[in-house]
Amino acid sequence: MHNFLIYSVLGLSAGAIYAVAAGGLVLTYTTSGIFNFAQGAIGMLGAFTYWQFTYGWGWPAPLSLVIVLGVIAPLFGAALESGILRGLEQTTEAVRVVVTVAILSALVGLALWIWPPNVARPFPAFFNGDKFTIVGAAVTVHQLISMGCAVAVAIGLAVLLRRSRVGTDMRAVVDNRDLLVIYGGSPDRVSALSWALGSSLATLSGILIAPTLQLSVLPLTLLIVNAYAAAIMGRLSRLPATFVGAIVLGLAESYGVGYLSNRGDFLAGIRPAIPVMILFVVLLALPHARLRGNVGKRSRDWFPSPPVRRSAMYAAAFVVLAFVVGPHLSVANMFTVNRAIALGIVALSLIPLVGYAGQLTLCQMSFAGIGALTMAYVAPGGSPLGLVAAFVVAAVVGALVAIPALRLRGIYLALSTAAFTIVLDRWIFTQDALRIFGWRIPLFGIYSLQVPRVQMPGVSFGSDRAQLVLLSLVFSIVALAVVTIRRSRYGRVLLAMRESPAACATLGLRLTVTKMSVFALSAGIAGLGGALYGGLQTAVPADTFSFFQTLPVLLLAVVGGIGAVGGAVAGTVLLGLFEAISRIWPSTSNLIAVAPGLAGIGLVRNPGGIASDLHAAVTQFRNRRRVSAASAGSAGDEAFEVPLEWIGIDRTIRAADIAALDVALGRGPAS
Amino acid sequence: MTSATATLEVEGIEVRFGGLVALQGIDLAVEPGEVLGLIGPNGAGKSTLFNVVSGLLPPTAGHVRLNGTEVSRAGPARRARLGLGRTFQNLETFGVLTVRENVLVAAEICRRWARSQHAPEVIADTLVERVGLGHLKFERADALATGSARLLEVARSLATNPSVLLLDEPASGLTDHETDHLGALLRELAGEGLSVVLVDHNANLVMSISHRVAVLKAGRMLTVGRPIDVQADLRVQEAYLGAPVVMS
Amino acid sequence: MIAAPDAPTPTVPILELRGVDAGYNGIGAIWDVDLAVAPGEIFALVGPNGAGKSTLISVAACLHPATSGDVLLGGQIVNGTAPRELVRRGVCVVPEGRSVFPNLTVQENLLLVTHAGVSVAEVEALAYERFPVLGTRRKQLAGTLSGGEQQMLALARSVAVDPAVLLVDELSMGLAPLVVAELYAFIAELASGGATVILVEQFARTVLGLAENAAVMSNGRIVRTGKPADVEDALEAAYLGEL
């Protein structure tokens, strides 16, 4: 009974903190339509900023609280909204998710840069953890303050939303954004304001939770995944349900830790996984999304279908290049290149799923991890069959993960995949072994797991140079396969499903089968990449395949151009380049850590990615040459000297213009 | 209202959104080779009826039968397999695919069950030409003008070789010339035995190619009859033009 | 609020469109629209569904840009003006469908009218005086009002800005004839008090009896302008087609 009281107090105070963060999340989502994956990262950054003021510079705590919560955080939130997120209005939901994930990634990089993690930063609880006793349970003042903050935030939000015109504006935006314009209001200002408030609430929650967790970047950023679960319980729209959800979550977590942590089995480490599992269950309980048509937005996405023969030539050239260049690379450079190519295979796996099929996922490195585990378990001697097994096992798990995806889309899908990956990397992967029916499957454990390199009869891929050849060979084969998919019936079906599930269904397509198959395919490729990546590293720690390792791969693949193999190649090159730069000039390593995030944020300007830009530039150049050659410098072609995209004109219109010009010149439609 | 030959039969359909009655007591039967015009003022429930028939929206009550098979509880994919095709009022073309690929993917999706003797590529090429989009074959669908995109949706729905085709506003955005071409094509298809249900705001098109015209008003079927009778019907005129207000 | 010291003479139309083209994503919806509405009159804009009436209203209120041509308010070109500026100058749009915020109470809906630069006390007093039924439902969510009451709440916005240019899209849709009569009585009263009202209706005959001038739209163009009696014969062809 006594324990129960203690756990209850702990749970309530944790739940109170989740409630504060979740309240901000719901507020920003409902008023701007953008789900802020970076909410936790903002809270983390806020907690660090507060630490800097109070303990770094020794300002009085109340003063730094006022400055951080009242000035810095709201300005930051408003700046995010008006500087970055407002540009997302005309983009697809996938781009919105990727951009806020990019913000998360950039903020994490930034925090690690400003506050290097190897310095201890004590972050005491308010009033030094003074405590007193209520009905037999010790309660700290800090816990009371946390609960008080939640109550105050609940009341404050209710008063704001119910009693003020600004709050009424916020609710009006939720009801009907366009109508508010007709009434003379300004929805943009309302959004900026709600982001300012959301950012303050995130910061408050970060400051409140930091003493229990210590001031550490990744746990703080991830912990507010709990707030996501609470917000989902409120269906991302209802604040009261969100607050109740947060409390339930806090309690569940506390009881879970209290009653399970002294068991000897793998349940002992369950703590970080509890909220995530609740999130997963709540997501599954959500009602089926209604079949949707296309959103009526002109996508600028780009899905070229290059000829297979030309692609095969590039692929062959790549392997030959690897063979020739390999001997001249230093050990360090070789490792950088190898690592980039291995991750590039994982990036390739994203193209059919995220690119063609438009299903956003944040758990690709988990599939890679499963591939590595399978390789280690099935083929400890390095048999190539291990690669096959890695593909198959990861594909099966991928199909299972797809089950919620059959019902969910957009942010819900992204969240469920994030939940999956966090369960794996915070709980399962760090265990020593998984025991199923007496089988013992070794996991990464707290140190690392030995993953073999591929050995074939007569050919060993044990050396780094041989690894380079193997990796480039596999990369080329997978890239060719992905190109072939784009040109196949299956590829067309995936793109069609991405564009309009409703139209596909009325054409007789079974969406369930198609979605599961593409998840399985993508997971399989990632598993293959993971097995090779594991072998490359040989001794593999669990965090190689964590949520935070997925982010740069995903971001750079999207930045490269998720619709095309060329995009994955561009992403791979960036990965390798970034790593090489930070190795050669160690002083840039912090900047490099922020780079994938910054690049992702750049998607606001160009959702099509680098590959499509390069392609457009080349086409532009060719067309210009063709046009000027055909008309021999006649004045009428001046307009084509300016690449229309530079002045913001849609590619599709330009294509039509060129076709019209071609017709006018009597050359038939442009190819 | 049961007909032995009807390709599409709708019986007692009712749809409620909360307290709002969107459709009530809708009965309709379409014969092979018939063009049925479905008209009515804005908000009368035409698109709602299409969504119910194609399985995108479950009705509160009533039955839908396709070629004699009860499909009231079936999903859209199954209805497509039983011979139903449709287009959408809000364009649902596959924007990133080319015109030819749009039709090709439809022909490929249905290849396993439509049992066409022709290869999907042949079907796609033929249909693209037939609706008059041959010159735009390799354009991306999202680069098309509205009129061409509507024709593309018609071609795409024909690729599944349907016995009933629901067309939602196929002529909106078409030029007069394209509209005439579409009208001729629809009569031609009907001549081959296809049942066409046509919703369009272009009254000239509907009246000139429909065998019968059904009029929806505020979720109820006002009348069904020959175009000439419907045009002369005072109730229909009132449904469209309204009645003078008597001010107290 | 339109009447400045150098006020336009009564012969200057309060709202005018000159050669306006507009469309969406580069696809035209209305072409070459000329329209002039005199101050204080009730003007009916009729035509079948899809004729471009709602687009015209959006352009006139600067909610949607014209691709060419000019919009003039009281003789001044206002193309590209921010909608909130026009709201402050008295332009009041009641778009198609129930143009209230369904999850806000009646009172909160009226609170938002203050964006037009009037005090909340004034808005509430005028609205409840003109529509007493709204006064009895202050705390009720707007979405739970009857269709007629919702339209009253939407129209109540116009009493607060004086003189107003009121653009109402499909006022009568889905309402019982008695309710429609009551709303039109309110419109007539507003107009007699100096407001200008543009009524957009699909159901032409419902509105023509009330209007002083009318225009018929079909396929994105104005096909007839004149007194209500003069446009009658253009209606049937526009709605039901010619054989």
Side-chain angles (χ1 to χ4, degrees), chain A residues 52-94:
Chain A
Q52 186 63 50
F53 274 88
T54 312
Y55 302 103
W57 296 329
W59 292 33
L63 183 61
S64 12
L65 274 181
V66 167
I67 290 180
V68 173
L69 292 176
V71 182
I72 299 179
L75 283 181
F76 184 73
L80 269 189
E81 198 279 336
S82 51
I84 299 173
L85 303 166
R86 197 169 293 169
L88 291 174
E89 236 163 55
Q90 291 306 313
T91 56
T92 57
E93 199 167 28

Side-chain angles (χ1 to χ4, degrees), chain B:
Chain B
M1 179 92 213
T2 350
S3 155
T5 55
T7 47
L8 169 66
E9 266 184 290
V10 165
E11 198 183 309
I13 288 292
E14 181 179 302
V15 174
R16 288 171 184 273
F17 299 116
L20 183 84
V21 181
L23 287 175
Q24 195 167 35
I26 304 294
D27 298 321
L28 212 57
V30 193
E31 299 295 325
E34 182 181 34
V35 179
L36 177 82
L38 182 63
I39 65 171
N42 204 1
K46 301 173 303 252
S47 290
T48 307
L49 182 59
F50 271 18
N51 285 339
V52 167
V53 171
S54 54
L56 293 177
L57 180 74
T60 320
H63 298 277
V64 179
R65 276 185 287 273
L66 279 170
N67 298 306
T69 310
E70 169 76 42
V71 293
S72 307
R73 293 176 176 282
R78 171 150 170 76
R79 297 184 198 210
R81 288 163 189 232
L82 286 166
L84 184 74
R86 77 164 288 180
T87 69
F88 294 85
Q89 184 181 2
N90 298 319
L91 287 168
E92 296 285 347
T93 54
F94 304 136
V96 301
L97 297 181
T98 65
V99 166
R100 181 173 181 271
E101 282 179 316
N102 263 266
V103 186
L104 182 58
V105 77
E108 284 168 339
I109 287 172
C110 73
R111 182 165 56 170
R112 263 180 267 159
W113 44 270
R115 296 203 191 89
S116 171
Q117 315 90 314
H118 303 293
E121 288 77 10
V122 177
I123 297 175
D125 289 333
T126 317
L127 283 172
V128 169
E129 290 296 338
R130 194 167 182 188
V131 298
L133 292 177
H135 60 295
L136 298 171
K137 218 172 179 173
F138 299 110
E139 286 292 321
R140 251 172 75 143
D142 59 7
L144 298 182
T146 317
S148 307
R150 296 210 179 274
L151 293 174
L152 173 58
E153 281 208 4
V154 173
R156 191 180 66 187
S157 55
L158 287 173
T160 64
N161 200 14
S163 53
V164 184
L165 185 56
L166 311 179
L167 298 174
D168 202 347
E169 304 279 354
S172 102
L174 264 61
T175 63
D176 291 349
H177 178 74
E178 287 170 328
T179 306
D180 291 345
H181 178 78
L182 175 70
L185 172 69
L186 294 182
R187 279 310 277 254
E188 199 180 297
L189 289 166
E192 294 163 14
L194 179 68
S195 302
V196 178
V197 185
L198 173 65
V199 165
D200 206 279
H201 283 128
N202 186 326
N204 286 333
L205 174 71
V206 176
M207 293 298 173
S208 63
I209 72 164
S210 301
H211 298 98
R212 286 186 302 153
V213 172
V215 185
L216 274 179
K217 184 194 175 187
R220 290 163 186 274
M221 192 66 80
L222 192 65
T223 180
V224 185
R226 291 187 303 158
I228 193 147
D229 299 330
V230 167
Q231 270 179 318
D233 193 324
L234 289 177
R235 289 174 306 166
V236 176
Q237 293 194 7
E238 193 189 312
Y240 268 86
L241 300 176
V245 174
V246 188
M247 302 245 283
S248 46

